[in-house]
Amino acid sequence: MKINWGNNHPIWLRRWLAASLTLLALVAGAAGQPESAKQLVQHNDAVTGMAFVPVPAGCFSMGSAAGSGDEKPVHEVCVSAFYLGKFEVTQGQWRVVMGENPSRFAACGDACPVEQVSSAAALEFIRRLNHRSGTNYRLPTEAEWEYACTSGGKKELYCGANNPDSVAWYEKNSGGQTHPVGQKQANGLGLHDMSGNVWEWVADWKERYPVTRQQDPTGVSASSTRVRRGGSWQYGTVQQRATWRSSGYPDDYALDLGFRLAAPAR
């Protein structure tokens, strides 16, 4: 917009008009940004207080050529931006939504990850939380999980490091139990305990990896077992690796099996 200022207006008015036009231009520019360019920021769920960390869009090599057969073939995957729980769902958060606590390690306290949770129970937790919060929480896909675990597709053996002791509670250092979330070092995105503490259910049903490049893969529509990732307090270093895959029946539960939530980019 071009304005003929002339010399008839007082200087304070000319300065005010100039500042107003600058502000309008900035607002218009921000409104015109594509969704991918907007800055995502950490936020907390209003019902449980659960913290969610932004995971930017990106592409990475999923799987491991040196790993087990389940981790092959290595293939390129691209994921859209999303949010992921900063921590595994805790016993306290589970109790707020479900009214009880199934955990074997209940004495560990509200800040410890909830365990003895089947994937069916995790989905029921999500259904109830979404009803109360009006939000579309979900389990992360397997591709989202591995991408976030490796700090956005970096070459990391574990979730945030090449040394498991810095990021994971596992067989060697756990003392035979779970531990409060967030005590180990975060990965490069600010996510904790993606290696170790408890296994985490993801959305995908178990299947072999494809060969071709994938965009936001969700896997097959149904199978007999669902994938779980990340290892746990009672397994060794192999299972804590970022690319290791495990699975279980939807009604399986164990004293080292929990989950974390994902949410769409806002």
Side-chain angles (χ1 to χ4, degrees):
M1 180 182 296
K2 185 176 181 180
I3 296 178
N4 181 10
W5 299 106
N7 295 317
N8 297 324
H9 302 297
I11 189 169
W12 67 266
L13 180 57
R14 281 180 277 165
R15 288 175 177 171
W16 179 83
L17 288 169
S20 298
L21 289 172
T22 300
L23 179 60
L24 287 171
L26 289 172
V27 171
Q33 283 186 317
E35 188 65 32
S36 60
K38 293 180 180 178
Q39 183 65 42
L40 301 179
V41 296
Q42 181 174 317
H43 69 276
N44 293 73
D45 172 63
V47 175
T48 62
M50 197 179 301
F52 285 86
V53 172
V55 180
C59 301
F60 74 114
S61 294
M62 187 171 180
S64 171
S68 68
D70 275 349
E71 299 168 65
K72 303 171 184 177
V74 176
H75 56 294
E76 184 181 12
V77 174
C78 296
V79 297
S80 301
F82 67 104
Y83 281 96
L84 190 63
K86 186 173 185 176
F87 310 110
E88 294 157 336
V89 175
T90 67
Q91 295 180 30
Q93 291 161 349
W94 179 275
R95 188 183 293 105
V96 167
V97 175
M98 305 296 282
E100 45 81 34
N101 183 9
S103 302
R104 175 74 63 87
F105 298 107
C108 184
D110 282 353
C112 292
V114 67
E115 17 85 10
Q116 301 221 113
V117 175
S118 67
S119 68
L123 292 175
E124 176 61 16
F125 173 93
I126 292 170
R127 186 192 70 80
R128 294 189 191 186
L129 179 57
N130 284 343
H131 178 73
R132 290 178 59 177
S133 66
T135 309
N136 295 317
Y137 296 123
R138 56 179 174 80
L139 293 175
T141 66
E142 187 174 15
E144 288 173 336
W145 191 97
E146 187 170 317
Y147 175 72
C149 155
T150 55
S151 306
K154 295 181 179 178
K155 299 297 183 183
E156 298 174 343
L157 187 58
Y158 305 99
C159 298
N162 292 317
N163 172 19
D165 289 283
S166 62
V167 295
W169 292 111
Y170 68 108
E171 182 185 35
K172 175 184 171 183
N173 63 12
S174 69
Q177 65 175 57
T178 58
H179 291 262
V181 299
Q183 290 189 337
K184 289 291 185 178
Q185 172 185 305
N187 75 358
L189 295 177
L191 300 162
H192 293 262
D193 302 305
M194 294 198 74
S195 286
N197 226 357
V198 294
W199 288 100
E200 299 178 16
W201 289 111
V202 297
D204 301 49
W205 295 100
K206 185 70 177 291
E207 65 171 335
R208 289 192 61 83
Y209 281 157
V211 177
T212 57
R213 180 182 182 275
Q214 304 288 303
Q215 174 69 51
D216 293 319
T218 57
V220 294
S221 59
S223 182
S224 58
T225 58
R226 190 182 296 277
V227 178
R228 51 198 186 195
R229 300 292 296 262
S232 80
W233 60 265
Q234 67 173 345
Y235 281 81
T237 57
V238 172
Q239 289 78 18
Q240 318 304 321
R241 292 188 297 109
T243 56
W244 181 267
R245 305 175 78 200
S246 179
S247 63
Y249 295 106
D251 292 329
D252 283 354
Y253 62 91
L255 70 171
D256 65 342
L257 182 53
F259 66 112
R260 78 176 67 218
L261 297 187
R266 303 192 300 177

